Amino acid sequence: MDFDAGSDDDVFEDARDRVDRPMLRLFTGYGRGQWIAFVVGLFSSIVARMLDLLPPLLLALAIDAVIQQQTAYSLFLVPDSLLPGEQGAQLWLTAGIIAASFGLGAVFHWSRNWGWNKFAQHVQHALRTDTYETMQRLNMDFFADKQTGEMMSVLSNDVNRLEKFLNDGLNSASRMIIMVVGIAAYLFYMNWQLALVALLPVPLIAVFTKRFIETIQPKYAEVRSTVGKLNSRLENNLSGIQIIKTANTEPYEADRVEDTSEDYLDANWDAIETRITFFPGLRLVSGLGFVATFVVGGLMVVGQPPGPLTASLSPGQFVAFIIYTQRFVWPMAQFGQIINMYQRAYASAERVFGLMDTPGRLEEAEDAPPLAVTEGRVEYDDVSFSYDSDDDPVLSDISFEADGGETVALVGPTGAGKSTVLKLLLRMYDVDAGAVRIDGQNVRDVQIQSIRRAIGYVSQETFLFYGTVRENIAYGTFDATDEEIVAAAEAAEADQFVRNLPDGYDTMVGERGVKLSGGQRQRIAIARAILKDPEVLILDEATSDVDTETEMLIQRSLDDLTADRTTFAIAHRLSTVKDADTILVVEDGRIVERGSHDELLSADGLYANLWAVQAGEIDELPAEFVERAIQRRARTDADD
Ligand code: ADP
């Protein structure tokens, strides 16, 4: 029996509350498209189970009518005149029907499995792709407060659990109903007195199963919680293996892993003890039922029904009774499992649909036109923004303009809000006040996709997808030719190192692939942007990870790339942006200085002093700026 454990801390609690009747939605929304498979599954289940029940009946007939010749040989629904009168022929006919019921049974078992599996697999597929698509459209803040593992668990565990319910759960439920109802009805029809005796253990089994579920449920929850902790510990240690070695903490970590593993062992053992007692217990109870039926039935056969009972029984019926009684117990014991599966499926459906119903998608009018870039003029008009409405604004009163083709640099301390400014241009978030416009069009009024299409974004961290270097460069420009890809790589100073990789452009990179250095990854990202040839370019510390020599080389190609297109560059190394048309100095979410390099130098503010430090003209920042930095740090630390 497989009960999986409960989920305790559910980050999707809110999402679950939003959902009404998730199982109904699962069937009407996703099951409907597969109704043929469902009907085949259900119909075949019924027929297959009825065929399963046939052989004991025929066995009873063979014993009573053919072997003992106590009763007349007759078959349900078949006129007696068509049946053979001779003993041998009757035996053959009975054997033939038994064989046919097994043969047909096999066919229906096959079509039953086909139906339920097809139904469940297709629903699972549609549900997973829908959930993924919905999820990737959600706002960035949805992702901000969730662990990747938690979202994976919806896309993977919850969807799988629904599949399991739709397949195993529905299958078991239909079997249980047919077996329990069918057998009970038949037993009562055959001999109600013995049926009562045979069904005596049923309430006992029900109580027993209920107790079992109540006992095992929290134990499984504990197993799940400890296995979660164990996995986190192992994962964390493996990622931090270098620190563990350099800090010489192997024995400490080995102890920690042993402790967590021991918790898991204990929790598991606790659950196992309960489980291994349950099944023999169930067997014992059903065995008692068997003995009772055997004794009472046997006495009825020999004509001495015990106590107040009066019925008599033929030997064939006696055998059929014994066999049916046995078949009755397991579906009964499964009842708990089915309920359990249903409850889990219900919770999973709530999470899946809750996620689908998550509000907080950036709004886009249905008839929003695509962004039409003419010159590439970008305008920030008194923009304020905060990631969380309860917090202080991250950006306040940001106003500036970049004419088409200009390069605007954003410099300033870490955490000042530079990246945030540019994320608003990509409409990763919506501004709280003010407006961001591209060629006069508010980014909120145009199709989101068209904005992202028009803007190339090279960030500090380059994510490489698992695939070839070629695929990674062409990511987003899927129709690029090989020549274009190589040309882009050349322009990004990446061609040479790519050719030196084991398989050149066909080398697999990303997780599980060849590891590239930070600088190499950045050059791939730059090649990606060059290939995309966007109207507006954002370089967010695009060359932070390369050495000065490579940076100079890349800078040359970047100069080409940025020459005629509106470019925003965030840089720590001021030398890389000194030629920008405008430099904005951002501090604490505000633009505190602005102008060209020369203008800013003569203004002798923060920029001029940072420049002097970086150029080696002065050893350290003047006290006034250091003081400001210290205050800023103190504020940020207090916020944390
Ligand atoms: P910069 O690019 O100048 O280093 P950022 O724009 O990355 O600064 O960050 C500005 C402020 O916003 C920082 O205080 C940072 O902690 C905060 N911040 C950045 N990204 C997020 C986010 N996704 N959610 C909440 N706060 C964020």
Side-chain angles (χ1 to χ4, degrees):
M1 229 186 252
D2 164 51
F3 295 90
D4 43 76
S7 50
D8 337 84
D9 309 328
D10 195 345
V11 283
F12 292 100
E13 196 71 54
D14 291 350
R16 291 176 57 182
D17 288 347
R18 268 194 298 274
V19 185
D20 217 20
R21 310 229 253 170
M23 292 309 263
L24 187 69
R25 197 161 148 192
L26 181 69
F27 280 96
T28 52
Y30 290 88
R32 193 176 277 176
Q34 291 297 324
W35 70 270
I36 296 183
F38 179 85
V39 170
V40 169
L42 187 62
F43 177 74
S44 309
S45 275
I46 296 174
V47 178
R49 293 304 165 189
M50 285 177 27
L51 287 169
D52 280 353
L53 294 178
L54 211 53
L57 275 186
L58 290 162
L59 182 63
L61 181 71
I63 294 173
D64 291 344
V66 185
I67 299 170
Q68 303 238 323
Q69 299 198 317
Q70 272 187 3
T71 52
Y73 187 85
S74 82
L75 285 173
F76 191 57
L77 286 182
V78 183
D80 287 345
S81 57
L82 292 179
L83 297 174
E86 193 250 324
Q87 212 179 358
Q90 288 174 344
L91 200 62
W92 277 113
L93 179 64
T94 315
I97 301 175
I98 292 179
S101 76
F102 277 119
L104 261 181
V107 172
F108 278 99
H109 274 282
W110 180 89
S111 59
R112 175 204 67 178
N113 287 340
W114 180 90
W116 290 132
N117 276 296
K118 186 168 160 59
F119 178 69
Q121 292 295 332
H122 280 79
V123 169
Q124 178 190 35
H125 170 71
L127 195 64
R128 190 183 333 265
T129 45
D130 257 20
T131 317
Y132 171 73
E133 270 177 43
T134 319
M135 194 188 261
Q136 70 174 357
R137 277 176 210 284
L138 289 172
N139 278 357
M140 288 305 291
D141 37 345
F142 171 82
F143 298 94
D145 62 352
K146 289 179 194 63
Q147 307 266 351
T148 313
E150 290 161 354
M151 289 180 282
M152 277 298 290
S153 90
V154 176
L155 286 171
S156 160
N157 299 357
D158 285 321
V159 174
N160 292 353
R161 204 177 276 166
L162 286 173
E163 187 269 335
K164 196 167 162 50
F165 171 73
L166 292 179
N167 190 354
D168 297 353
L170 291 187
N171 195 358
S172 305
S174 61
R175 176 176 58 203
M176 192 195 77
I177 293 170
I178 296 160
M179 294 298 262
V180 171
V181 174
I183 293 179
Y186 185 73
L187 292 186
F188 274 98
Y189 166 75
M190 206 153 57
N191 184 327
W192 68 268
Q193 294 180 352
L194 188 56
L196 280 179
V197 176
L199 300 188
L200 264 183
V202 167
L204 213 58
I205 292 173
V207 173
F208 197 59
T209 310
K210 184 165 176 288
R211 283 260 348 244
F212 169 68
I213 299 212
E214 283 165 0
T215 321
I216 200 90
Q217 213 71 286
K219 295 189 178 181
Y220 275 126
E222 183 61 24
V223 170
R224 184 161 136 150
S225 150
T226 50
V227 78
K229 284 183 193 143
L230 180 61
N231 282 346
S232 308
R233 161 100 12 249
L234 290 174
E235 201 182 297
N236 202 247
N237 282 20
L238 291 178
S239 340
I241 190 73
Q242 194 169 340
I243 308 288
I244 294 177
K245 282 182 184 296
T246 52
N248 206 13
T249 49
E250 283 111 332
Y252 171 71
E253 290 301 341
D255 282 350
R256 284 216 288 188
V257 168
E258 192 181 326
D259 286 348
T260 0
S261 180
E262 215 161 83
D263 290 345
Y264 173 59
L265 174 71
D266 292 344
N268 228 345
W269 188 248
D270 193 23
I272 288 171
E273 278 182 330
T274 308
R275 197 172 56 213
I276 57 177
T277 325
F278 173 68
F279 291 101
L282 196 66
R283 202 169 271 277
L284 188 68
V285 175
S286 72
L288 290 178
F290 181 93
V291 173
T293 313
F294 184 83
V295 170
V296 176
L299 288 172
M300 284 177 173
V301 173
V302 295
Q304 299 164 0
L309 301 180
T310 52
S312 67
L313 197 70
S314 69
Q317 286 175 325
F318 177 61
V319 171
F321 242 99
I322 294 287
I323 296 177
Y324 280 143
T325 315
Q326 280 301 290
R327 295 232 187 140
F328 197 78
V329 174
W330 291 107
M332 273 299 301
Q334 261 195 337
F335 183 65
Q337 192 188 2
I338 295 167
I339 298 282
N340 183 56
M341 241 194 241
Y342 177 80
Q343 283 172 340
R344 311 228 144 276
Y346 190 93
S348 288
E350 273 185 336
R351 263 194 297 272
V352 169
F353 289 118
L355 193 133
M356 286 203 194
D357 295 349
T358 305
R361 233 152 296 182
L362 292 170
E363 291 200 8
E364 184 183 75
E366 268 193 22
D367 54 352
L371 173 73
V373 185
T374 47
E375 297 163 38
R377 205 180 117 78
V378 172
E379 185 187 354
Y380 277 66
D381 188 357
D382 229 355
V383 168
S384 297
F385 172 76
S386 58
Y387 284 101
D388 188 336
S389 48
D390 298 335
D391 292 348
D392 289 341
V394 171
L395 299 177
S396 317
D397 312 323
I398 300 283
S399 289
F400 67 90
E401 284 163 23
D403 276 339
E406 274 190 355
T407 295
V408 172
L410 288 92
V411 302
T414 306
K418 305 178 295 292
S419 300
T420 308
V421 170
L422 298 180
K423 282 181 195 157
L424 298 180
L425 182 62
L426 280 157
R427 204 177 168 208
M428 300 299 273
Y429 303 91
D430 273 333
V431 299
D432 297 333
V436 179
R437 297 191 195 91
I438 302 175
D439 281 330
Q441 303 145 82
N442 191 325
V443 291
R444 297 181 80 145
D445 299 335
V446 295
Q447 284 170 15
I448 296 175
Q449 282 198 333
S450 67
I451 303 172
R452 315 247 166 101
R453 212 178 298 131
I455 300 177
Y457 181 68
V458 184
S459 73
Q460 244 157 305
E461 289 159 38
T462 307
F463 185 81
L464 294 183
F465 290 91
Y466 180 65
T468 62
V469 172
R470 188 192 312 280
E471 285 162 356
N472 267 289
I473 295 178
Y475 190 79
T477 317
F478 299 109
D479 55 356
T481 63
D482 280 354
E483 291 73 36
E484 288 168 334
I485 292 172
V486 173
E490 278 171 355
E493 300 290 342
D495 180 64
Q496 207 172 5
F497 88 76
V498 173
R499 285 187 195 281
N500 285 334
L501 292 173
D503 296 315
Y505 281 88
D506 295 315
T507 308
M508 298 300 274
V509 290
E511 217 179 319
R512 292 187 287 144
V514 167
K515 301 277 178 284
L516 297 183
S517 72
Q520 290 171 329
R521 297 161 89 92
Q522 280 190 326
R523 279 178 275 168
I524 301 255
I526 292 170
R528 203 183 269 170
I530 293 175
L531 188 64
K532 183 174 177 185
D533 194 21
E535 278 104 345
V536 176
L537 184 65
I538 296 177
L539 302 171
D540 188 346
E541 302 255 9
T543 56
S544 60
D545 274 344
V546 298
D547 57 275
T548 320
E549 194 181 77
T550 317
E551 180 169 40
M552 267 168 46
L553 292 173
I554 299 177
Q555 205 62 47
R556 270 197 330 202
S557 51
L558 283 182
D559 287 345
D560 284 344
L561 184 65
T562 60
D564 298 321
R565 73 187 90 217
T566 316
T567 304
F568 296 90
I570 298 180
H572 271 297
R573 244 178 267 166
L574 301 182
S575 57
T576 58
V577 293
K578 73 180 194 343
D579 296 328
D581 298 287
T582 311
I583 297 170
L584 304 173
V585 184
V586 184
E587 195 179 21
D588 271 346
R590 291 172 190 276
I591 299 176
V592 291
E593 291 169 29
R594 67 178 80 203
S596 68
H597 175 72
D598 292 335
E599 286 164 357
L600 289 175
L601 281 191
S602 37
D604 200 23
L606 178 60
Y607 181 86
N609 283 281
L610 285 173
W611 176 262
V613 174
Q614 290 192 4
E617 289 164 12
I618 54 173
D619 287 340
E620 55 183 44
L621 278 179
E624 161 201 1
F625 296 109
V626 175
E627 190 56 35
R628 253 159 64 180
I630 290 170
Q631 279 175 7
R632 195 166 47 234
R633 193 62 25 107
R635 267 203 308 278
T636 343
D637 291 350
D639 284 352
D640 292 345

